[in-house]
Amino acid sequence: MNIVTLLPFIVLIGAMFLMTRSAKKKQQAAAQMRNEMQPGTGIRTIGGMYATVKEVHDDAVLLEVAPGVHAVYAKNAIGAVLADDEYNRIVHGTEADLNEDEDTPVVPDDASSLTETDEPAAASDDSRIDLGKKDAAAEADDAQPKKTDGESDAK
């Protein structure tokens, strides 16, 4: 057998080894993150719900999803353990250090400030503007009475 015929199989086996190795590393990192949870830690579930850890058991976690509302979740349902400042920013909408600088431009809510000028507005001519010309045939059609009540020229 030639080495050239075995080359695709060798490449395929090597790719499978590398993929399983990286997946295994990700699983180990996730398991370590879940094992480091402590009561009072803010978390995000794999479903996207944010909660606070109340109790940690072997395979389950008691979460406070709202003040006074508790739910039991499997440890595998925890997607991420969040830092305190990140959890407060997402859940409560607070920033850890809000610094209002004087150099920060103020962005208006609408575009009115972009169109306003300090000069007084000139007298505007609100008369109707004719954008097209009517030809003689169109004027003749307008002069003829319109047919109503189902009358038509068809015979």
Side-chain angles (χ1 to χ4, degrees):
M1 219 181 240
N2 196 350
I3 189 77
V4 176
T5 56
L6 292 177
L7 188 62
F9 295 113
I10 294 171
V11 170
L12 182 63
I13 291 171
M16 288 174 45
F17 174 74
L18 291 176
M19 286 190 294
T20 57
R21 187 173 158 211
S22 66
K24 198 174 276 192
K25 281 186 179 181
K26 287 180 184 178
Q27 287 177 349
Q28 288 175 349
Q32 181 182 1
M33 177 251 329
R34 290 182 188 115
N35 289 333
E36 292 176 356
M37 281 188 302
Q38 297 175 357
T41 306
I43 58 100
R44 181 183 68 236
T45 65
I46 58 174
M49 183 178 67
Y50 293 91
T52 305
V53 176
K54 286 296 180 185
E55 296 177 9
V56 179
H57 302 286
D58 291 335
D59 293 332
V61 179
L62 180 67
L63 301 178
E64 184 176 26
V65 295
V69 179
H70 296 86
V72 178
Y73 275 78
K75 270 190 176 180
N76 291 339
I78 306 303
V81 176
L82 305 172
D84 290 338
D85 57 342
E86 183 180 4
Y87 179 78
N88 288 332
R89 181 183 59 81
I90 294 170
V91 175
H92 303 296
T94 59
E95 290 290 331
D97 43 332
L98 277 175
N99 294 328
E100 294 285 331
D101 294 336
E102 298 296 324
D103 298 335
T104 305
V106 177
V107 179
D109 290 340
D110 58 1
S112 63
S113 65
L114 301 175
T115 58
E116 293 177 356
T117 59
D118 294 336
E119 301 172 6
S124 63
D125 186 16
D126 291 336
S127 63
R128 189 172 175 156
I129 300 172
D130 187 16
L131 298 176
K133 295 183 180 180
K134 289 187 175 182
D135 58 331
E139 289 178 4
D141 287 340
D142 289 342
Q144 292 179 357
K146 304 266 188 221
K147 298 191 183 226
T148 57
D149 296 332
E151 298 176 6
S152 66
D153 290 334
K155 292 185 182 180

